[in-house]
Amino acid sequence: MAPRSWLDIAPDSPFSLADIPFGIITTPVSSSPHVGVATGEHALDLSVFALCSGSSDCRAITSHLEVFSQPALNDFAALGRAVHRENAGALIRGIDNALHPNYMHLPVGYHGRASSVAVSGTSIRRPHGQVMGNPTAEVPKPIFTPSKRLDFELELGAFVCKANKMGEPVSIKEAEENIFGLVLMNDWSARDIQAWEMVPLGPFNSKIFGTSGSAWVVLMDALEPFRASGIENENGVLPYMREGKEENVYDLNLEVELTIMANSIGVSPYVLTIYAAKSGTSTTIAGTNGKYLLFSFPQMLAHHTAGGCPMQVGDLLGSGTVSGTEPGTMSGSMLELSANGNNKIQLHGGDERTFLKDYNTLTLKGRAGGEEGGLVGFGECTGSIEPAITMQ
Amino acid sequence: MAPRSWLDIAPDSPFSLADIPFGIITTPVSSSPHVGVATGEHALDLSVFALCSGSSDCRAITSHLEVFSQPALNDFAALGRAVHRENAGALIRGIDNALHPNYMHLPVGYHGRASSVAVSGTSIRRPHGQVMGNPTAEVPKPIFTPSKRLDFELELGAFVCKANKMGEPVSIKEAEENIFGLVLMNDWSARDIQAWEMVPLGPFNSKIFGTSGSAWVVLMDALEPFRASGIENENGVLPYMREGKEENVYDLNLEVELTIMANSIGVSPYVLTIYAAKSGTSTTIAGTNGKYLLFSFPQMLAHHTAGGCPMQVGDLLGSGTVSGTEPGTMSGSMLELSANGNNKIQLHGGDERTFLKDYNTLTLKGRAGGEEGGLVGFGECTGSIEPAITMQ
């Protein structure tokens, strides 16, 4: 049975006592961003809690109370997972590519931009970029245009909570302790820009205009009851990524919802306001599970640092698009859902889509468990598409 | 004729009065890192200079003197180039790829790691990584090993001095004002790791274990007399990258020196000490010119932000390997110099190389001009290869 609280928490609340995800809040009495945890419909202000000695039962944290007054989670994360565990108890109790030969052997990755990571609710502007004017021409010539194939990618994001020095890899044994917690992540992608630019150095402008993350970080410890096996990797992995445990990923139900305003044809500032209220017609366009990963986050971290690359507290690792192996779970992007734009995705209200239009709102949802109020939920990860700017 | 100084500056000093590059210094009386400029054999302590009203003739800077006490150049850079110009006056007066269809149309790029950018003099550890065990096998199988094809890349690096908001591109007209100055940059690369990992998402572990930069930032204004035309781009460029000036790069003599210790066979801590003193046999293995770029830094910045990617003050843009169009200037890496490892590079003392061995020291040098003492030099960008660690 799940623990009880003096707070009234609805059984279907994503933020149950089994979850207690961490985030940054402001309150009427404290407008400086600081640390809180979400519980039901409430957020517990940890800077106030610390001032009032609420954590005096938690020896590990008492000498670090200043971390809760910071405008980011980094200092708290850097205390390490051992501290979080005790602290949590005291408080309340894709891999994004086709099948190349390296695909099963290493978590194929690229670096994005920390500067364009945005919290849920931030609007994303349709990017301009170079795309092929006429892809069938003998000598391809690019044009500069707003992207016409704007897409999302349903991912999990993991925050690093421990730095390693340059030249000193994080071993697979240490890696799990270096990961703070997870968020839902939308790695917005412009597929037409990507197709033209990505050979040979990988995606660049197509994936740096915005990455959305849910606002509350769910600690790895809260996910512990939901361990599951990932996608079987027939090749096995090289020893530097061997975890010695089969259940290295998490059974998380993930959903993607596309919302379209009834009157979105009339583009005006008023439409944007209405969107903020998130009325409109919504369709769940994809559903999958967090266990469908070929590599776990500890494996990604061990690989990322294998050559000595220094990670920093707050570094965000994306899982790549979560695409399942079972029917109905295989699509974490419009690219996959529409078979590269060839099939139209049917929406409630009679509309249809291949890629995202302006003022469409994308919402990622995630949750695990749920019996007896023990739901471990992620906050929603939403973003609306703003029209491209007019270039001079 | 070049301006004169009360200091004794040797005519061949790379840090002439025409140069005054900015960097971070400590002194016997102030061990906290802060801002200085290099002149001849001296460094002018700008935090002391500011305290003593040395810059009172420079109105633009007098309200921002605290920037000189910071441990990084970011706050100073963020004041903008207009301030630097007045300030400087008052003080003393690749493209890394084969020829894909997009090559002439856009500055093909990827993101590296800010966390592994290191100042000149920092040792670089040979990285482990996945490489193909037997490249000719029908089903390629990777092995995990220290890189055997460790390489350098001779690049110029440009620091951004103005942030742009997410969703708001930097136009080509604005771009030049957003670039603070240049350093020499060595984008260390592990070619065997790169070959196995880079399709389809680009280089990752092969280029994130270390990037070296020279310690003094040469302001764009100091380079103004050395403007030159870049590599002719037959296709022209799309309007969002058109600068309306032909001379958009700089005539800088660039050299690469490889130093090998006579007794480097005996691996001991003493050897490392000797290396720090940089005795040993040195060979200039490459020479080229900073003008051999297909795209200028303003063009790179306009392209990078064209989709709204937000840049931050202190972001470092690498030029890609500088490889010339004339005989003897075409090689900015061992990969090019050795024709992908097929030809041995001859060194003084009878040794030869295809790729870098442990304890080899790589030194990049750069300078422009030089008549009548007006040499504008870059500090050296050096790094020695440490042996790979023993993996558990």
Side-chain angles (χ1 to χ4, degrees):
Chain A
M1 181 162 169
R4 286 192 191 160
S5 167
W6 69 92
L7 291 170
D8 185 22
I9 302 176
D12 64 343
S13 166
F15 299 141
S16 75
L17 292 181
D19 193 354
I20 50 165
F22 285 70
I24 298 300
I25 62 172
T26 59
T27 66
V29 296
S30 176
S31 61
S32 305
H34 56 280
V35 178
V37 293
T39 312
E41 295 291 306
H42 306 274
L44 176 61
D45 186 325
L46 287 184
S47 69
V48 173
F49 191 70
L51 280 174
C52 304
S53 304
S55 56
S56 57
D57 290 344
C58 175
R59 275 167 299 161
I61 197 72
T62 45
S63 53
H64 304 288
L65 295 179
E66 73 285 356
V67 298
F68 296 131
S69 302
Q70 301 299 314
L73 292 175
N74 295 28
D75 288 357
F76 173 57
L79 294 179
R81 287 186 53 192
V83 170
H84 307 146
R85 261 184 228 116
E86 190 178 336
N87 186 45
L91 279 170
I92 12 183
R93 191 323 324 134
I95 315 296
D96 178 47
N97 61 324
L99 292 169
H100 286 274
N102 55 19
Y103 178 75
M104 305 293 276
H105 295 285
L106 57 84
V108 179
Y110 66 94
H111 278 90
R113 291 277 317 174
S115 66
S116 56
V117 173
V119 70
S120 175
T122 307
S123 294
I124 301 295
R125 195 182 284 283
R126 181 181 299 273
H128 278 71
Q130 281 197 27
V131 307
M132 269 186 282
N134 174 7
T136 61
E138 204 167 311
V139 181
K141 279 243 170 189
I143 58 172
F144 188 68
T145 173
S147 170
K148 292 179 179 63
R149 291 164 72 96
L150 190 53
D151 201 355
F152 72 93
E153 285 191 358
L154 168 59
E155 302 197 9
L156 294 171
F159 285 104
V160 171
C161 61
K162 191 173 174 187
N164 63 297
K165 285 187 187 156
M166 188 164 149
E168 298 182 6
V170 177
S171 75
I172 187 65
K173 283 179 188 165
E174 303 165 290
E176 199 169 301
E177 285 292 313
N178 289 25
I179 296 171
F180 177 59
L182 302 189
V183 291
L184 301 177
M185 195 174 121
N186 182 347
D187 184 19
W188 303 94
S189 300
R191 301 300 181 188
D192 41 2
I193 298 172
Q194 188 179 351
W196 169 241
E197 76 177 358
M198 83 180 289
V199 178
L201 298 186
F204 191 69
N205 281 21
S206 55
K207 284 170 172 283
I208 61 178
F209 58 91
T211 303
S212 301
S214 53
W216 298 97
V217 182
V218 179
L219 302 193
M220 299 314 293
D221 302 287
L223 296 171
E224 200 57 33
F226 309 105
R227 278 192 177 271
S229 300
I231 296 174
E232 194 181 340
N233 195 337
E234 287 172 28
N235 291 282
V237 292
L238 285 163
Y240 78 99
M241 284 196 288
R242 272 184 212 152
E243 290 183 85
K245 62 177 87 171
E246 209 173 295
E247 299 198 324
N248 61 357
V249 294
Y250 302 92
D251 180 5
L252 307 171
N253 291 308
L254 303 175
E255 275 184 7
V256 181
E257 192 179 82
L258 178 59
T259 305
I260 296 176
M261 293 308 295
N263 60 345
S264 66
I265 295 162
V267 176
S268 81
Y270 299 107
V271 176
L272 279 172
T273 307
I274 295 168
Y275 266 95
K278 268 206 66 188
S279 60
T281 309
S282 295
T283 308
T284 299
I285 59 171
T288 187
N289 193 291
K291 71 185 175 188
Y292 294 127
L293 296 178
L294 196 55
F295 293 93
S296 70
F297 281 115
Q299 288 176 325
M300 291 181 212
L301 187 61
H303 178 73
H304 203 143
T305 63
C309 176
M311 305 300 291
Q312 294 176 328
V313 173
D315 275 354
L316 174 60
L317 307 179
S319 64
T321 307
V322 182
S323 303
T325 52
E326 292 161 30
T329 71
M330 300 173 73
S331 304
S333 65
M334 306 286 275
L335 186 78
E336 293 172 319
L337 286 164
S338 71
N340 196 20
N342 292 314
N343 298 331
K344 292 197 159 78
I345 304 157
Q346 300 302 316
L347 304 177
H348 293 158
D351 212 340
E352 54 190 21
R353 284 289 180 285
T354 46
F355 292 97
L356 296 169
K357 293 189 177 177
D358 292 346
Y359 302 112
N360 287 183
T361 297
L362 223 285
T363 304
L364 310 183
K365 299 176 178 181
R367 54 176 56 191
E371 287 165 25
E372 297 188 12
L375 199 63
V376 170
F378 290 78
E380 291 185 348
C381 176
T382 74
S384 296
I385 305 300
E386 286 185 359
I389 61 166
T390 307
M391 298 289 274
Q392 295 154 346
Chain B
M1 183 160 170
R4 284 192 190 156
S5 167
W6 68 93
L7 292 169
D8 185 23
I9 302 175
D12 64 343
S13 167
F15 299 141
S16 74
L17 292 181
D19 192 354
I20 49 165
F22 284 70
I24 298 299
I25 62 172
T26 58
T27 65
V29 293
S30 176
S31 61
S32 306
H34 56 280
V35 178
V37 294
T39 312
E41 295 291 306
H42 307 273
L44 175 61
D45 186 326
L46 287 185
S47 68
V48 173
F49 192 70
L51 279 175
C52 304
S53 305
S55 55
S56 57
D57 290 343
C58 176
R59 275 167 298 161
I61 197 73
T62 45
S63 54
H64 303 286
L65 295 179
E66 74 284 357
V67 298
F68 297 132
S69 301
Q70 302 299 315
L73 292 176
N74 295 27
D75 288 356
F76 173 56
L79 294 179
R81 288 187 51 193
V83 171
H84 306 148
R85 261 186 226 114
E86 190 178 336
N87 186 45
L91 278 170
I92 12 182
R93 177 2 283 142
I95 315 297
D96 178 47
N97 61 327
L99 292 169
H100 287 274
N102 55 19
Y103 178 75
M104 305 293 276
H105 295 285
L106 56 85
V108 179
Y110 65 94
H111 278 92
R113 291 279 314 177
S115 66
S116 56
V117 173
V119 71
S120 174
T122 306
S123 294
I124 302 295
R125 194 182 283 285
R126 181 180 299 274
H128 278 71
Q130 281 197 27
V131 307
M132 270 186 282
N134 175 6
T136 60
E138 205 168 310
V139 180
K141 279 241 169 191
I143 58 172
F144 188 69
T145 174
S147 170
K148 291 180 179 64
R149 293 164 72 95
L150 190 54
D151 200 355
F152 72 93
E153 286 192 359
L154 168 59
E155 302 197 9
L156 294 171
F159 284 104
V160 171
C161 61
K162 190 172 175 189
N164 64 297
K165 285 188 188 156
M166 187 164 149
E168 298 182 6
V170 176
S171 75
I172 187 65
K173 284 180 188 166
E174 304 165 289
E176 199 168 301
E177 285 293 311
N178 290 25
I179 296 170
F180 177 60
L182 301 188
V183 292
L184 301 177
M185 194 174 122
N186 183 346
D187 184 18
W188 302 95
S189 301
R191 302 299 182 188
D192 40 3
I193 297 173
Q194 186 178 353
W196 170 240
E197 76 177 359
M198 83 178 290
V199 177
L201 298 186
F204 191 68
N205 282 21
S206 54
K207 283 171 173 282
I208 62 179
F209 58 92
T211 303
S212 301
S214 53
W216 298 96
V217 182
V218 179
L219 302 193
M220 299 314 294
D221 303 287
L223 296 172
E224 200 57 33
F226 309 104
R227 280 193 174 270
S229 301
I231 296 174
E232 194 181 341
N233 195 338
E234 288 172 27
N235 291 282
V237 292
L238 285 164
Y240 77 100
M241 285 195 289
R242 272 184 211 151
E243 290 184 87
K245 63 178 84 169
E246 207 173 297
E247 298 198 325
N248 60 357
V249 294
Y250 302 92
D251 180 6
L252 307 171
N253 290 309
L254 303 175
E255 275 186 6
V256 181
E257 192 179 83
L258 177 60
T259 305
I260 296 175
M261 293 306 298
N263 59 347
S264 65
I265 296 162
V267 176
S268 80
Y270 301 107
V271 175
L272 279 171
T273 308
I274 296 168
Y275 267 93
K278 270 205 65 189
S279 60
T281 309
S282 295
T283 308
T284 299
I285 59 172
T288 186
N289 193 291
K291 70 185 176 189
Y292 295 127
L293 295 179
L294 197 54
F295 292 94
S296 69
F297 281 114
Q299 288 176 325
M300 290 181 213
L301 187 60
H303 178 72
H304 203 142
T305 63
C309 176
M311 305 299 290
Q312 294 176 328
V313 173
D315 275 354
L316 175 60
L317 307 179
S319 64
T321 308
V322 182
S323 302
T325 51
E326 292 162 29
T329 70
M330 300 173 74
S331 304
S333 66
M334 306 286 275
L335 186 78
E336 294 171 319
L337 287 164
S338 71
N340 196 20
N342 292 314
N343 298 331
K344 293 198 159 78
I345 304 157
Q346 300 302 318
L347 305 177
H348 294 157
D351 212 340
E352 53 190 20
R353 284 289 179 285
T354 47
F355 293 97
L356 296 169
K357 292 188 178 177
D358 292 345
Y359 304 111
N360 287 182
T361 297
L362 223 285
T363 304
L364 311 183
K365 300 176 179 182
R367 54 176 58 192
E371 286 165 25
E372 297 187 11
L375 200 61
V376 170
F378 290 77
E380 291 185 348
C381 175
T382 74
S384 296
I385 305 300
E386 286 185 0
I389 61 166
T390 308
M391 297 290 273
Q392 296 155 345

